Amino acid sequence: MAGEPQDDCLFCKIAAGHVPATIVRESETTVAFRDINPQAPTHVLVIPKAHYPDAASLATAAPALAADVLRETQAVADEDKLESYRIVFNTGSGAGQTVWHAHAHVIGGRGLQWPPG
């Protein structure tokens, strides 16, 4: 069920503290941690603690929680002193989503080209 932790979800396990991660921020509703395959000097994932399979389902079912995720992306950028950065939500395998738990990538600390890969 949407919002409920999933036993087979890596990010649910990280949010619960069952899988280690380099956590940089945690709020009542979100967790932010360093990406294990960073694409820039700052590459942090911000996830809701509640499970939603992608950004679209999160925004539809829990818009306040989606706003919490976005607020935390700004806090991550502030803590890493980023003047500019990119927020990426991959939705679907064709867009590069590999973990089916909504998450925002905060990417910065180097020049970022457009369009992205």
Side-chain angles (χ1 to χ4, degrees), residues 41-95:
T42 294
H43 190 164
V44 173
L45 303 180
V46 180
I47 66 169
K49 289 182 177 178
H51 181 89
Y52 293 90
D54 55 41
S57 63
L58 171 63
T60 299
L65 182 53
D68 290 349
V69 169
L70 283 173
R71 251 189 308 279
E72 286 300 306
T73 66
Q74 179 65 55
V76 166
D78 289 346
E79 284 185 1
D80 277 19
K81 298 178 177 30
L82 299 176
E83 291 182 20
S84 58
Y85 59 95
R86 184 170 288 158
I87 301 168
V88 177
F89 288 92
N90 296 324
T91 300
S93 58

